Amino acid sequence: MPYVHETLENLRKSSPAQTEFYQAAEEVLECLRPLFKRSPHYHEHSIIERIVEPERQIMFRICWTDDTGRVQVNKGYRVQFNSTLGPYKGGLRFHPSVTSGTIKFLGFEQIFKNALTGLPIGGGKGGSDFDPKGRSDGEIMRFCQAYMSELYRHIGPHTDVPAGDIGVGGREIGYLYGQYKRLTGRYEGVLTGKGLDWGGSIGRKEATGYGAVYFAQNMLEALGKTLEGKTCLVSGAGNVAIYTIEKLYEMGAKPVTCTDSRGTLHDAKGVDLDLLKELKEVNRASLEVYLEKHPEASYTPVDEYPEDGHAVWRFKADAAFPCATQNELTAADAEALLANGVYCISEGANMPSAADAVDRFLEAKIAYGPGKAANAGGVATSQLEMAQNNSMEQWPLEKVDEKLKEIMANIHRQCADTAEEFDEPTNLVLGANIAGFRKVADAMIDHGVV
Ligand code: NDP
Ligand code: 2IT
């Protein structure tokens, strides 16, 4: 298929340092080969050349003053990738590893994820290389205000609606919202993940983790299994990991691990969720502190990880939920998981499995839910927040959770049906990529050359 090959070659040349973006684009485009064979009109409309190019990329300087009075400078980004299905929608990431390639990969994934939700939202992503670790509340506030001082002119409730991601949670959304309101004088649904007293949706904080567990449940149901009594590995200890663990307990499963950037915690009795919330949501402490209350648990610091991967994927379990960051699961980790009996993987994080790890899961034909399908519950509930803001309502938890369950089941069905349609019934990566792409591409054709 020269069309796919040529587009990837051009990307490699034009974005040489953007390895994560290239990885995400290659996975999607490779999956589209059988679709292009059946439907050559996508080529005639140059859809993939158009879809890999962001509609707009905003890069800006952020200057703010730290607690010692020194001026600090960071890079800011917002990539408005594709607005075919609705206003740009996607989170903001504050992490020192962020580059323009990171934001492009996340924005690209977001296009297809948002399409899979069936809701009217386009794809975007933003962030900064700002490192929130060790910063005081005042520094976080001044940074968020400086970031919004540029971003506000590019966003709006019907054009581009940012939300949280790594390093951006309720506190940061609050400071960003306050600054947007000060600059524009408008009280409107321009961000999601807002506080419940000022326009937030009940259930948004929990939605990504809960959704990833619902997705696992959907995959297992198709195999005649449930999560009841299953031992689960979870990575991460942030928003997505915490609410994945919470929902796993509700389903009768036993989550035994979590991780942060410094190490891996394993508690064979099951992770103490109240303590985890206190450590991470209140005190922003290291996971190592967990051992003070549970000395029988084990903690592996990063410098003792296996050379070819991550300690968290080396425990015996039934299911795994990568919920930290991209490429946190290597091919060697994938082999260890399979050897240890894991038969279900639901990705709470974006692109957590390296490309050769994904290959191992697909070869083994286990229940593997790729991030753009399995973690779509977060952005879907963000859209529910937008709908509530537009109608000036606040829905009860039961209504939000019911809709979330329905949306996740629908995403699973679309992925499975599309995989079946292309004669690879167990390949939900192919199913997710083709189903998401087809919706966006068909609408792009409807809109003409714009
Ligand atoms: P948080 O900032 O709340 O938590 C991130 C967690 O992952 C922290 O425990 C952090 O450890 C760890 N982590 C982050 N980066 C690294 C790294 N480079 N190496 C090791 N550990 C790391 O973020 P979220 O929980 O919101 O996001 C987690 C993942 O889920 C990301 O991939 C995000 O894109 C994805 N996602 C998030 C959604 C949301 O609604 N928030 C929606 C869909 C996907 P430490 O605290 O030590 O840095
Ligand atoms: O990756 C993601 O889907 C998110 N960080 C959530 C985006 C959103 O707009 O809620």
Side-chain angles (χ1 to χ4, degrees):
M1 177 76 49
Y3 183 35
V4 166
H5 180 75
E6 274 165 28
T7 310
L8 283 170
E9 273 309 297
N10 286 340
L11 269 192
R12 209 193 290 274
K13 279 192 211 128
S14 63
S15 318
Q18 300 188 330
T19 50
E20 291 162 334
F21 172 55
Y22 189 85
Q23 180 186 340
E26 187 173 32
E27 184 205 279
V28 172
L29 297 197
E30 288 295 340
C31 284
L32 297 177
R33 285 175 189 273
L35 174 70
F36 294 147
K37 233 186 224 161
R38 287 190 199 178
S39 312
H41 70 291
Y42 292 123
H43 185 186
E44 285 148 29
H45 288 276
S46 302
I47 292 295
I48 56 172
E49 297 92 317
R50 288 157 69 186
I51 219 165
V52 297
E53 198 57 51
E55 290 173 14
R56 194 173 298 103
Q57 300 188 65
I58 301 144
M59 292 167 80
F60 50 97
R61 185 184 69 176
I62 306 157
C63 302
W64 57 284
T65 309
D66 70 18
D67 284 347
T68 70
R70 198 177 167 78
V71 175
Q72 298 282 343
V73 184
N74 287 98
K75 291 181 194 299
Y77 305 93
R78 184 72 184 167
V79 175
Q80 299 182 330
F81 222 120
N82 193 298
S83 62
T84 308
L85 297 181
Y88 307 106
K89 184 81 197 85
L92 300 174
R93 178 176 292 189
F94 293 168
H95 193 272
S97 65
V98 164
T99 64
S100 59
T102 316
I103 302 298
K104 253 173 95 177
F105 121 65
L106 290 162
F108 185 72
E109 290 284 285
Q110 201 83 45
I111 305 171
F112 307 102
K113 180 196 305 193
N114 293 6
L116 285 170
T117 65
L119 302 168
I121 38 179
K125 200 85 189 192
S128 172
D129 61 355
F130 171 69
D131 186 357
K133 274 216 186 74
R135 290 294 178 191
S136 70
D137 223 50
E139 289 178 317
I140 298 283
M141 181 180 76
R142 289 193 296 280
F143 174 79
C144 288
Q145 291 175 340
Y147 182 84
M148 186 52 86
S149 294
E150 174 58 34
L151 189 70
Y152 85 97
R153 65 186 93 245
H154 307 289
I155 61 176
H158 300 287
T159 51
D160 185 354
V161 185
D165 194 85
I166 291 176
V168 179
R171 173 180 62 166
E172 291 74 20
I173 293 292
Y175 294 145
L176 292 163
Y177 191 71
Q179 181 73 349
Y180 178 85
K181 190 164 63 63
R182 171 159 73 177
L183 293 170
T184 62
R186 290 196 296 270
Y187 203 102
E188 56 193 9
V190 69
L191 293 166
T192 59
K194 298 187 292 300
L196 299 186
D197 294 331
W198 40 276
S201 173
I202 295 173
R204 171 61 189 92
K205 185 174 67 174
E206 295 83 357
T208 310
Y210 281 17
V213 176
Y214 293 149
F215 197 85
Q217 191 191 23
N218 290 323
M219 291 194 293
L220 288 176
E221 251 167 38
L223 303 172
K225 297 185 162 127
T226 68
L227 279 164
E228 177 85 43
K230 303 297 184 304
T231 300
C232 302
L233 305 178
V234 178
S235 67
N239 172 264
V240 180
I242 287 173
Y243 293 96
T244 295
I245 290 173
E246 182 164 288
K247 186 52 78 175
L248 283 172
Y249 276 125
E250 275 180 43
M251 296 284 180
K254 185 164 72 161
V256 292
T257 62
C258 57
T259 71
D260 62 18
S261 53
R262 286 181 247 180
T264 291
L265 182 87
H266 180 260
D267 188 340
K269 294 196 310 307
V271 170
D272 179 339
L273 180 59
D274 291 336
L275 178 59
L276 179 65
K277 284 188 181 177
E278 188 188 310
L279 289 180
K280 291 297 178 180
E281 292 188 329
V282 185
N283 301 332
R284 300 178 195 271
S286 160
L287 276 180
E288 206 173 355
V289 180
Y290 186 99
L291 297 182
E292 288 172 11
K293 192 164 168 207
H294 296 286
E296 71 291 357
S298 79
Y299 177 79
T300 314
V302 171
D303 55 14
E304 289 173 24
Y305 281 6
E307 256 171 37
D308 55 0
H310 198 306
V312 71
W313 311 125
R314 307 302 168 102
F315 295 100
K316 238 185 140 39
D318 302 292
F321 295 79
C323 297
T325 194
Q326 64 271 16
N327 293 323
E328 57 165 319
L329 194 161
T330 64
D333 293 329
E335 270 157 25
L337 285 168
L338 294 168
N340 276 329
V342 167
Y343 52 83
C344 173
I345 297 185
S346 185
E347 295 184 338
N350 285 306
M351 205 170 74
S353 305
D356 46 4
V358 176
D359 292 342
R360 300 291 192 286
F361 297 143
L362 295 179
E363 279 156 25
K365 295 191 188 308
I366 59 163
Y368 170 63
K372 67 168 72 70
N375 72 39
V379 74
T381 308
S382 276
Q383 197 280 343
L384 302 182
E385 182 169 325
M386 290 162 70
Q388 292 169 75
N389 292 162
N390 274 336
S391 58
M392 302 184 92
E393 291 174 322
Q394 189 167 55
W395 301 342
L397 179 62
E398 295 69 34
K399 178 165 171 176
V400 176
D401 195 44
E402 207 39 54
K403 283 186 181 285
L404 173 63
K405 267 190 205 143
E406 227 177 85
I407 291 167
M408 296 314 295
N410 191 33
I411 294 174
H412 176 260
R413 201 171 314 113
Q414 284 176 76
C415 295
D417 288 354
T418 310
E420 181 90 42
E421 181 190 336
F422 286 86
D423 305 320
E424 292 204 41
T426 57
N427 188 343
L428 299 184
V429 177
L430 182 105
N433 285 328
I434 294 186
F437 172 84
R438 223 169 8 194
K439 274 192 195 163
V440 183
D442 291 347
M444 283 172 77
I445 293 171
D446 290 345
H447 291 179
V449 180
V450 287

